[in-house]
Amino acid sequence: MDEQKIREMGILAHKIRVETLRAMGKLGFGHIGGSMSIAEVLAVLYGGVMKIDPRNPGWDGRDWLVVSKGHAGPSVYAALALAGYFPTEELLTLNQPGTNLPSHCDRLKTPGIDMTTGSLGQGISTAIGVALGHRLNKKDNYVYLILGDGECNEGQIWEGVQFAAHWQVDKLIAFVDANKKQLDGYTQDINDLTGLAGKFACFGWHSQEVDGHDAGQIVAAVEKAKQAEGRPSVIVLDTVKGKGCCFAEPVFLNHHMNISPDMAAEAIAELEKDLARCGCKS
Amino acid sequence: MNIVLDNNHSKEQVAMRDAYCQTLIELARWNEDIVAVDADVMNSMGTVPFQKAFPDRTFNCGIQEANMIGVAAGLSATGKIPFAHTFGIFATRRVCDQVFISCSYARLNVKIIGGDPGITAAFNGGTHMPFEDMGIMRTIPEMTIIEPTDATMMRDITRQVAARYGVFYIRSARKNVVKVYGEGSTFEIGKAAPLRDGKDVTIIAAGILVDEALQAADILAGQGISARVLNMFTIKPIDKDAIIQAAQETGALVTAENHSIIGGLGSAVAEVVAENCLVPLERIGARDIFGEVGPEDYLKVRFQMTASDIAAMAQKAVARKGKSLA
């Protein structure tokens, strides 16, 4: 992928943050930390890596994305809107009565959401099932999966890790958003998950670790992952919880925060300054 | 519905799991979307022949019930029709949230088969004896719950379930049960199957207690009480009309289930009765008590699920007729 494309993905990540903040700012609260930390991986996936057709979300030739850390829904919705699945104005309906954009991802409500998630640990199994279904249907679509690092406390994750390796589910590429924090604090202090990349490797996965805020590194890792025949792949993303959001990034407990219109406006203004430096507008 | 009764009260020649698996294999021959997911109890659940016939369409997850249910949900999202098999305790208690979110809330098409309901868990004992599985599954919206009575019904229900979209829970004994229906009988999901008419009381039964209920009706006939018997093999959605009609025409009801009286058939019938047609209702089933180990005939006595227990409960219901229900 050329440098210009990678640069555009970096810009898209900023735009995802801006749109997410607009929606959460209007709502007054949200899962800000984990929504901000996955902006780059979403930008990479929707900015060129995934085979998709936003005008036909159910296209059977598409690649799938299962966002197992379903509470990051708002930034996924921002990515979907910016990719053209629905108008960005609809993002402001987040969590409003009758909305198509609930806190947690729902395959039946939001165009482009491939799997319902929200109870942590379950997305890995459904993603594997989708990949096996594609195999039976003789399709070569990729299934991408985004896990949280805290989510890897869940036993079901490791059930899936064993099973995907045993069945050689090589069309599955998982990301772990390793932002080092879960709801109650640092993962290291709560139930230490250190060495995630090595843990996946021990289970037989092709395993890589990259800077999760560097679109170029993520793209390169996905290309490598696709070469890992006969093995599922994981890319552990070294990320910062709340990344790029001035009121959230420095805060210790930033899993879910109350967000005033002023806070949102300030964070958006900072991101827009960055975008302006790149010659872009949000 | 086209029902022929077999009145010999003798054991089936074929085990429930074999009738099930043979039917699934027949269906899978012409429907390539049918797949099996298992969790290391294929030999117990009788699904090994399916694996032999369709090795590429069988996914044994090992001892991973939660993952198995999620994998089934994912498979169904690509158009497959997964049948997931394990013991009833694991198929419900252990994976309640996976069934709820990954399958039901996501409106996917997953069929869950739970073996060894209630006392049929016998020598696996209290840890393995689901008296609560229907209670767990009944609170999940849009769930269909079926307890087939014998091999004939199992075959017919399996065919129907494969052809219908949605999440189904089928609880069934694995081994040979008493034959109730003649070959070729067909059933309608959600409609009680009438077994015997009567005017004094209605026994509403399911599963292995259907045969006990028929024997109870014989005992009651000897005492001058005419008992109607309904087979409520669909526990959800419950056949409200049949319950109301039975209440109006016979004036007293008894439920008989191989399950806790909390959450299952007895509860479902009580809900209909309380809202529509107050008549005396008595319930046969485990009375808020854990299971225990032992042979099935011992457990049937231990948990008061015999024909004579049902007959005694029917007499009690009849005796309450005309008395205040307050």
Side-chain angles (χ1 to χ4, degrees), chain A residues 38 41-42 45 65-69 144-147 151 175:
Chain A
I38 63 167
V41 70
L42 291 172
L45 291 172
L65 173 63
V66 178
V67 182
S68 193
K69 44 172 285 182
Y144 295 93
L145 166 68
I146 301 178
L147 304 167
E151 183 183 10
F175 301 95

Side-chain angles (χ1 to χ4, degrees), chain A residues 13 20 50 71 76 112-113 144 159 171-172 187 213:
Chain A
T20 305
M50 283 209 299
H71 56 277
V76 185
I113 292 292
Y144 295 93
E159 292 188 5
K171 297 292 182 196
L172 175 67
T187 55
H213 299 306

Side-chain angles (χ1 to χ4, degrees), chain B residues 144-183:
Chain B
T144 301
I145 303 174
I146 299 174
E147 183 165 8
T149 313
D150 66 4
T152 300
M153 188 192 278
M154 177 59 106
R155 291 188 195 97
D156 185 53
I157 292 298
T158 303
R159 286 183 202 111
Q160 292 190 45
V161 164
R164 286 200 192 192
Y165 191 93
V167 184
F168 285 71
Y169 174 56
I170 298 177
R171 75 189 307 251
S172 172
R174 291 187 277 137
K175 298 178 182 165
N176 303 54
V177 297
V178 174
K179 186 169 180 60
V180 175
Y181 295 105
E183 300 306 320

Side-chain angles (χ1 to χ4, degrees), chain B residues 93-112:
Chain B
R93 225 156 65 196
R94 191 166 181 110
V95 298
C96 178
D97 193 39
Q98 283 75 17
V99 173
F100 193 103
I101 300 287
S102 291
C103 301
S104 291
Y105 189 78
R107 308 299 200 285
L108 287 167
N109 187 23
V110 177
K111 323 301 181 190
I112 300 162

Side-chain angles (χ1 to χ4, degrees), chain A residues 252-269:
Chain A
F252 170 50
L253 292 177
N254 61 5
H255 181 79
H256 186 277
M257 294 176 76
N258 289 328
I259 302 168
S260 69
D262 287 350
M263 287 160 77
E266 191 193 343
I268 290 167

Side-chain angles (χ1 to χ4, degrees), chain B residues 3 22 47 77-78 98 122 133 140 151 166 170 173 190 198 203 227-228 277 280 289 311 326:
Chain B
I3 293 171
Q22 285 156 10
T47 50
T78 66
Q98 283 75 17
D133 55 326
I140 299 177
I170 298 177
I203 305 169
R228 176 180 299 185
C277 46
I289 186 173

Side-chain angles (χ1 to χ4, degrees), chain B residues 208-231:
Chain B
I208 59 166
L209 295 201
V210 167
D211 183 61
E212 298 292 331
L214 288 168
Q215 293 180 48
D218 285 341
I219 296 171
L220 290 164
Q223 297 162 347
I225 296 173
S226 159
R228 176 180 299 185
V229 182
L230 292 179
N231 183 356

